[in-house]
Amino acid sequence: MKLLYKTTRDFLLVTIIIMTIAGVGIYLLLKKEVKDEMNEQLVFQTELAIKQMQKGKPASDPFISITPTTNSLSLKPVYKDTVIFDQVQQENEDYHYLEIVKEINGQHYHIKAMTTYVGWGEYYKTIFYLLLAAIILLAGSGVLINYFSNKKIWKPFCQNLEQLKNYSVSTSTPLQLYDSPITEFKELQAALKDLTERSHREYMALREFTENASHEIQTPLGIIQSKLDRLSQLEVTEEMARYIVQAKSGVERLSKMNKNLLLLAKLDNQIFEDKQTVDLQEVLEQHLYLMEDLFAAKNIEIKTHINKETIIANLYLCDVLISNLFSNVLRYTEQGGHAGILLQSGQLIISNSGNPLDFPSDQLFNRFKKSNNAVQSNGLGLAIVQQICMVSGWNIHYHYLDHTHVFSVHF
């Protein structure tokens, strides 16, 4: 839920609760005040009637009834409500009355004084409707004021949030933020500027270090490879030749790992931003042609169903992705096995027969994760494939079914 909607909702709920409590409080207070006022009025009427009776005059108030009683005990004042049918208006009327026994001129009388009033139900309905109208007006106006006021206050924050979402440390353009008169937003803006500037400097330093380190490592590796090639051309013993072959293999693996790590670093830093229209059918067929002899050497049966498919992507990354997937098929398909390549409806499915994984499938795309039987692998090929998919906005999935590994890439 957006912050603006949440604050508006909370304001509305608090307003309704406060107005409801205020309405109940007003109703109870008004009821008490009206009752006290009516009781005072009834007492006044009763005392006036008693004074008239003491002077030998009958009570002139039509709302007071005075009847002789044999009850010599004084009755404490009793206040009650009752309903009497009005013959004139043809409806029930609410009355509040006082009953008391008083001795007047040596004779006990039962006195009952009444007064009409608007019923408590009417009071309740009047207060309810008034408060309901007040709640609607107050809540409606408050919500509108709160919504537009907060929207104006939070506008620079939302704009800066969008700027931050679109910002990349790899770009040389500094982060552009909108100014705000709010002190907290100013502090946040200053902190974000400092953070992005430091992140950009650290990114550039890391990028430069990665490129320099790769170059510095690749140079001595090339020298070692060259010297080993020279040694292999000399007359050496069989044992020395075996050592040279092992050394060359290790250097080749180290050189390949260095290139793969450099590629992963570039992918992490999103250096490959150039995109173009790529014909996947052509790329797949080209790689199949290049690796045809290698598949034939292991007697791997390749079944293909490649349709015309074009995407907007980086051509180099497409080459690397397909090359790594094909290399994975070649490495892990047993002798005389089978593999399949399907390209249609925006997805590429590459499958190959083989034994199940000897580790959890959710670790398949982790860096340096490889099968115990894959001694020559550096465990970076599928990690690069996943990273290319993430950078390009594609999805890659893996599952194992019927003795077959299946990789599906959705473009």
Side-chain angles (χ1 to χ4, degrees):
M1 178 182 290
K2 289 188 175 182
L3 180 62
L4 182 59
Y5 297 155
K6 179 172 175 47
T7 55
T8 303
R9 185 197 64 180
D10 293 345
F11 173 80
L12 182 60
L13 290 176
V14 171
T15 300
I16 293 175
I17 292 173
I18 291 176
M19 293 300 291
T20 302
I21 295 174
V24 174
I26 291 173
Y27 171 76
L28 296 176
L29 180 62
L30 183 61
K31 184 176 180 178
K32 180 180 181 302
E33 292 295 327
V34 170
K35 270 193 173 183
D36 291 344
E37 185 66 26
M38 289 191 299
N39 291 342
E40 290 178 4
Q41 178 66 24
L42 291 174
V43 170
F44 175 75
Q45 291 176 342
T46 301
E47 290 177 351
L48 186 61
I50 290 174
K51 289 180 180 180
Q52 289 178 337
M53 292 286 293
Q54 288 174 344
K55 294 179 179 180
K57 299 179 181 180
S60 58
D61 194 331
F63 289 99
I64 294 182
S65 65
I66 301 177
T67 56
T69 180
T70 58
N71 187 3
S72 59
L73 298 176
S74 298
L75 179 67
K76 292 183 178 180
V78 177
Y79 300 96
K80 290 185 178 180
D81 295 322
T82 187
V83 177
I84 300 176
F85 183 75
D86 191 333
Q87 298 291 340
V88 178
Q89 298 184 4
Q90 293 295 310
E91 63 180 12
N92 291 325
E93 292 285 347
D94 292 292
Y95 284 85
H96 189 65
Y97 66 88
L98 164 65
E99 282 186 313
I100 192 172
V101 173
K102 285 287 186 178
E103 181 181 356
I104 305 174
N105 298 331
Q107 175 68 40
H108 288 87
Y109 292 91
H110 179 268
I111 304 174
K112 184 176 183 180
M114 297 193 305
T115 182
T116 184
Y117 73 100
V118 178
W120 301 121
E122 293 297 325
Y123 279 113
Y124 173 78
K125 285 192 293 184
T126 302
I127 294 173
F128 174 78
Y129 288 132
L130 288 174
L131 281 177
L132 180 62
I135 289 175
I136 293 174
L137 291 174
L138 182 61
S141 60
V143 166
L144 290 176
I145 294 172
N146 183 60
Y147 178 83
F148 288 108
S149 176
N150 284 339
K151 188 174 183 180
K152 182 178 180 181
I153 292 173
W154 286 94
K155 184 178 180 180
F157 174 84
C158 296
Q159 291 174 329
N160 291 336
L161 183 60
E162 288 299 320
Q163 291 290 97
L164 195 60
K165 288 179 180 179
N166 298 325
Y167 176 75
S168 173
V169 293
S170 61
T171 181
S172 58
T173 305
L175 179 64
Q176 301 294 331
L177 297 177
Y178 294 88
D179 293 329
S180 171
I182 308 300
T183 302
E184 290 78 6
F185 289 169
K186 288 182 178 179
E187 295 176 355
L188 178 62
Q189 179 179 344
L192 286 175
K193 283 187 175 181
D194 179 64
L195 177 63
T196 53
E197 288 173 0
R198 284 190 287 110
S199 299
H200 179 70
R201 290 195 300 268
E202 292 171 1
Y203 162 79
M204 295 303 296
L206 178 61
R207 179 176 173 178
E208 184 178 355
F209 168 78
T210 304
E211 293 175 351
N212 292 339
S214 175
H215 175 72
E216 293 300 326
I217 293 175
Q218 200 66 33
T219 300
L221 285 176
I223 296 174
I224 295 173
Q225 183 72 36
S226 175
K227 297 301 181 182
L228 289 173
D229 289 339
R230 290 288 301 275
L231 282 175
S232 63
Q233 295 175 4
L234 301 176
E235 293 185 5
V236 293
T237 62
E238 183 179 347
E239 183 180 7
M240 183 64 69
R242 188 171 62 253
Y243 290 155
I244 292 174
V245 171
Q246 293 174 354
K248 288 178 66 177
S249 176
V251 170
E252 289 174 356
R253 288 180 56 196
L254 185 58
S255 178
K256 185 177 180 181
M257 182 182 295
N258 180 59
K259 291 179 180 178
N260 287 339
L261 287 174
L262 178 61
L263 176 58
L264 279 171
K266 289 181 177 180
L267 288 171
D268 289 337
N269 295 327
Q270 298 185 0
I271 293 178
F272 302 97
E273 296 182 352
D274 296 334
K275 294 184 179 181
Q276 63 188 77
T277 302
V278 178
D279 187 345
L280 278 181
Q281 180 185 23
E282 181 181 345
V283 176
L284 282 169
E285 290 176 347
Q286 182 181 2
H287 280 274
L288 276 173
Y289 175 76
L290 294 174
M291 300 186 68
E292 184 178 2
D293 293 339
L294 297 175
F295 288 131
K298 292 188 68 173
N299 197 24
I300 299 175
E301 180 186 359
I302 304 293
K303 294 182 179 180
T304 62
H305 184 81
I306 303 175
N307 294 330
K308 187 73 174 179
E309 190 78 32
T310 58
I311 59 173
I312 303 298
N314 184 279
L315 178 59
Y316 173 72
L317 294 184
C318 288
D319 278 328
V320 174
L321 180 139
I322 294 173
S323 175
N324 284 6
L325 288 175
F326 279 12
S327 297
N328 188 75
V329 170
L330 180 64
R331 179 174 290 111
Y332 294 103
T333 304
E334 70 275 13
Q335 186 76 24
H338 61 84
I341 301 170
L342 172 65
L343 177 64
Q344 65 177 12
S345 304
Q347 66 176 352
L348 170 64
I349 300 176
I350 297 180
S351 60
N352 65 283
S353 59
N355 296 323
L357 298 175
D358 53 11
F359 55 86
S361 60
D362 57 354
Q363 300 178 10
L364 181 61
F365 296 101
N366 292 354
R367 298 181 182 184
F368 300 107
K369 192 64 180 180
K370 60 182 179 179
S371 172
N372 295 329
N373 299 323
V375 180
Q376 298 298 323
S377 173
N378 56 32
L380 292 175
L382 292 179
I384 292 175
V385 168
Q386 185 188 47
Q387 195 66 25
I388 290 175
C389 290
M390 291 177 59
V391 170
S392 303
W394 306 332
N395 295 317
I396 183 168
H397 303 283
Y398 164 82
H399 67 275
Y400 184 79
L401 181 66
D402 297 334
H403 196 66
T404 303
H405 302 273
V406 181
F407 293 88
S408 56
V409 180
H410 299 268
F411 302 103

